[in-house]
Amino acid sequence: MNPADLGLPVDVPSTALFTDQYELTMLQAALRSGASGRRSVFEAFTRRLPEGRRYGVVAGTGRVLDAVENFRFDAGVLGFLREQRIVDEPTLEWLASYRFTGDIWGYPEGEVYFPGSPILRVEGSFAECVVLETVILSILNHDSAIAAAASRMSSAAGGRGLIEMGARRTHELAAVASARAAYVGGFDSTSDLAAGFRYAIPTVGTSAHAFTLLHDSERDAFQAQVDSLGRGTTLLVDTYDVAEAVRTAVEIAGPELGAVRIDSGDLLLVAHRVRQQLDDLGARDTRIVVTSDLDEYAIASLAAAPVDAYGVGTQLVTGSGHPTCSMVYKIVARAQSADPQAPLQPVAKKSMGAKSSRGGRKWAARRLDAEGVAEAEVIGVGPVPAELADHQLLVELVKGGTVVAREPLDTARDRHRAARSGLPMSATQLSKGEPVLPTEYV
């Protein structure tokens, strides 16, 4: 059984009010002017990557598809809009039967992106597309930020295990989305049970310092945990004296002890000492897990330490300093009239500074060098050059209002691993720098 089919408390009955008011006031005015039915194309993209980042990671696509399906104005929602006089009655009547009937194309989840990449393209009438702006951006901006941080941490970890454990550091619903995005970005498991239930992400967890402090001695606590969870459990060894705790842990669990966790102190030094002590005590297969406010830089600094897994919380669920990707949702083309056969006309925002946009219904492709390594993100309007036809990035997600591209989360996770490995080696450097691929417009 797919846990996503069960329906859970972390879901909401409707996503319709995950909407800024101006989307509905624009809708009302467009309905009145007669322009609401004009065929339109909106694109979600970012003008720049967060400072120092070499690439972005697309995450949240599956949640966007769910949100579009659940974008329904039921009686309670309509009653609120009527009571607050947000929109007029003709607009309420239109919203009552709202169903997205258009098409959505986008970068598949787990793919990497760069400035200007048309990460999501939404096509339909102006009315049905414009109201989706906020919910789409809120999901993509949040989840892609978490996935990008996770990807950097995954790269820094060099194949060692990664545990997402940030639920207590963010909103309870954001915690579930964060665990999902972190899994796409390369994490292996989560401490959050709601995320495990909703998305079938492997869950882990054993005990905190409170469990040790509950008992009369550390020995009593370790004995109780091993008696309950078995010798393969992970014992937290830094409540009092680490060396004494490790000695006690092995005495109780024997060499079959699964792991010890270190949550404080000089992790590099302590990990080396604990590894030597475990080996001397015959527990050569006992793993070492470290936690304590880690980020990608701290993980990288522990590359030479005998660490088997990292547990990351705060820095992960806050995007490691960049909690949003600054994606925007802009109309880039619209029909010349309400006639369904009217041709599309490119439109673009012209403004001072760096907030302009490029018009036209875009395609995107990644050009590779002779060694098969990506060398440029190519974006264009009109026919796709023959040499790029097999390297296009956008895939069909929704056709005529029906989702056509749902996939297991592991597929997105595997896709990200492959996409990152196809970038130049400098993509995984943690030092600040420009995007690893240039964006070319043709």
Side-chain angles (χ1 to χ4, degrees):
M1 175 181 291
N2 183 354
D5 295 334
L6 298 175
L8 303 170
V10 295
D11 287 334
V12 292
S14 169
T15 53
L17 288 186
F18 293 164
T19 307
D20 286 313
Q21 182 167 319
Y22 80 159
E23 291 160 25
L24 298 191
T25 53
M26 283 192 287
L27 169 64
Q28 175 178 307
L31 288 169
R32 181 170 295 185
S33 75
S36 64
R38 283 191 176 188
R39 189 160 54 99
S40 300
V41 180
F42 285 77
E43 289 175 355
F45 63 93
T46 185
R47 297 183 176 94
R48 66 191 67 84
L49 297 180
E51 184 180 0
R53 297 290 168 89
R54 304 297 182 93
Y55 60 91
V57 181
V58 178
T61 308
R63 297 207 310 120
V64 166
L65 299 180
D66 292 341
V68 171
E69 280 193 333
N70 291 328
F71 205 87
R72 304 282 187 268
F73 292 83
D74 58 24
V77 169
L78 293 170
F80 164 77
L81 296 176
R82 178 177 290 108
E83 179 182 338
Q84 298 299 315
R85 298 183 178 180
I86 304 296
V87 290
D88 59 20
E89 283 299 323
T91 305
L92 290 173
E93 291 177 10
W94 188 90
L95 291 173
S97 59
Y98 178 87
R99 298 290 186 274
F100 180 73
T101 63
D103 302 326
I104 299 178
W105 290 70
Y107 280 39
E109 191 157 19
E111 183 58 85
V112 297
Y113 69 87
F114 298 91
S117 297
I119 296 164
L120 201 73
R121 190 176 73 214
V122 182
E123 305 180 31
S125 71
F126 174 84
E128 65 180 337
C129 294
V130 73
V131 295
L132 297 176
E133 175 185 5
T134 298
V135 69
I136 286 175
L137 289 180
S138 66
I139 293 172
L140 290 181
N141 269 313
H142 174 270
D143 290 22
S144 296
I146 307 306
S151 179
R152 284 163 62 86
M153 294 174 189
S154 172
S155 177
R160 295 173 175 177
L162 286 166
I163 307 164
E164 184 281 315
M165 47 192 301
R168 67 193 66 190
R169 304 302 190 198
T170 188
H171 183 278
E172 63 271 20
L173 299 186
V176 180
S178 294
R180 182 187 184 280
Y183 190 69
V184 170
F187 272 59
D188 303 294
S189 57
T190 179
S191 66
D192 189 81
L193 291 177
F197 190 49
R198 180 70 177 84
Y199 297 114
I201 300 170
T203 60
V204 297
T206 51
S207 67
H209 294 99
F211 185 76
T212 300
L213 296 170
L214 167 68
H215 291 81
D216 295 335
S217 70
E218 193 168 53
R219 177 177 291 275
D220 289 345
F222 287 177
Q223 188 66 63
Q225 185 173 327
V226 170
D227 288 346
S228 174
L229 301 178
R231 296 176 185 272
T233 190
T234 299
L235 295 176
L236 180 59
V237 295
D238 72 329
T239 305
Y240 304 117
D241 179 85
V242 173
E244 181 61 31
V246 171
R247 186 177 303 109
T248 302
V250 176
E251 286 178 4
I252 291 172
E256 297 84 8
L257 174 62
V260 295
R261 179 163 73 95
I262 307 167
D263 189 51
S264 59
D266 183 336
L267 297 178
L268 179 61
L269 175 62
V270 176
H272 276 288
R273 288 178 174 173
V274 168
R275 181 72 271 160
Q276 184 63 54
Q277 186 180 10
L278 288 169
D279 290 349
D280 290 345
L281 293 170
R284 295 182 176 277
D285 294 328
T286 298
R287 302 166 69 245
I288 296 176
V289 179
V290 297
T291 53
S292 186
D293 295 325
L294 299 177
D295 61 9
E296 60 266 48
Y297 301 101
I299 291 171
S301 73
L302 293 168
V307 172
D308 298 285
Y310 306 92
V312 190
T314 303
Q315 292 300 320
L316 177 59
V317 299
T318 57
S320 196
H322 296 290
T324 181
C325 300
S326 299
M327 292 184 195
V328 295
Y329 182 85
K330 300 296 181 182
I331 186 171
V332 297
R334 50 89 173 163
Q336 295 178 1
S337 71
D339 183 345
Q341 303 304 315
L344 287 173
Q345 174 180 334
V347 293
K349 176 182 178 180
K350 304 292 184 183
S351 66
M352 298 178 64
K355 297 189 71 172
S356 60
S357 60
R358 292 176 178 266
R361 181 181 184 273
K362 301 175 192 66
W363 52 262
R366 190 159 298 147
R367 190 174 68 239
L368 309 181
D369 66 15
E371 304 299 323
V373 177
E375 64 177 11
E377 195 86 340
V378 185
I379 299 171
V381 175
V384 180
E387 66 272 16
L388 294 175
D390 293 335
H391 302 287
Q392 295 188 71
L393 294 164
L394 278 75
V395 299
E396 192 170 32
L397 302 172
V398 176
K399 182 175 183 179
T402 300
V403 174
V404 295
R406 277 205 171 85
E407 60 186 12
L409 199 57
D410 280 319
T411 300
R413 173 183 167 85
D414 293 342
R415 179 182 295 116
H416 175 63
R417 186 183 299 111
R420 189 177 66 188
S421 68
L423 297 176
M425 291 183 64
S426 58
T428 58
Q429 291 178 344
L430 296 181
S431 57
K432 291 185 177 181
E434 296 300 313
V436 72
L437 295 187
T439 300
E440 299 178 0
Y441 293 95
V442 298

